[in-house]
Amino acid sequence: MTRDDIIKMAREAGFNPVSYTGANLELFERFAALVAAHEREACAMEADYEAARWPYAPECRGPCEEIAKAIRARGER
């Protein structure tokens, strides 16, 4: 889930950024960023879990570790 997805859902739920001051909109954008970061980490943790299931099979473990790394890297952009 991206920041834009969260903002879109908020608008669909009735949030109207025009009626809010700039400070309130900034708070909402920070909230959206926190939710997106939480979702990314949850996905990365699933990949970590799958990697841990293959301690003696690097051909299976390696791709899972790379997936987790790529997911976390998205948050650093």
Side-chain angles (χ1 to χ4, degrees):
M1 183 178 310
T2 67
R3 174 185 168 276
D4 290 338
D5 292 334
I6 296 164
I7 291 171
K8 181 182 174 198
M9 288 187 292
R11 286 185 176 143
E12 288 174 8
F15 177 82
N16 181 2
V18 175
S19 67
Y20 286 82
T21 66
N24 287 338
L25 187 55
E26 288 174 19
L27 288 173
F28 182 76
E29 288 175 342
R30 285 193 300 198
F31 170 73
L34 288 170
V35 171
H38 182 269
E39 291 293 316
R40 273 191 308 275
E41 184 56 26
C43 291
M45 288 174 64
E46 286 295 321
D48 288 339
Y49 171 78
E50 288 300 317
R53 293 180 59 208
W54 302 97
Y56 303 110
E59 67 278 2
C60 297
R61 184 182 67 241
C64 294
E65 290 170 344
E66 288 300 313
I67 290 168
K69 183 179 174 182
I71 291 169
R72 288 185 176 105
R74 290 191 68 176
E76 297 171 6
R77 291 192 230 165

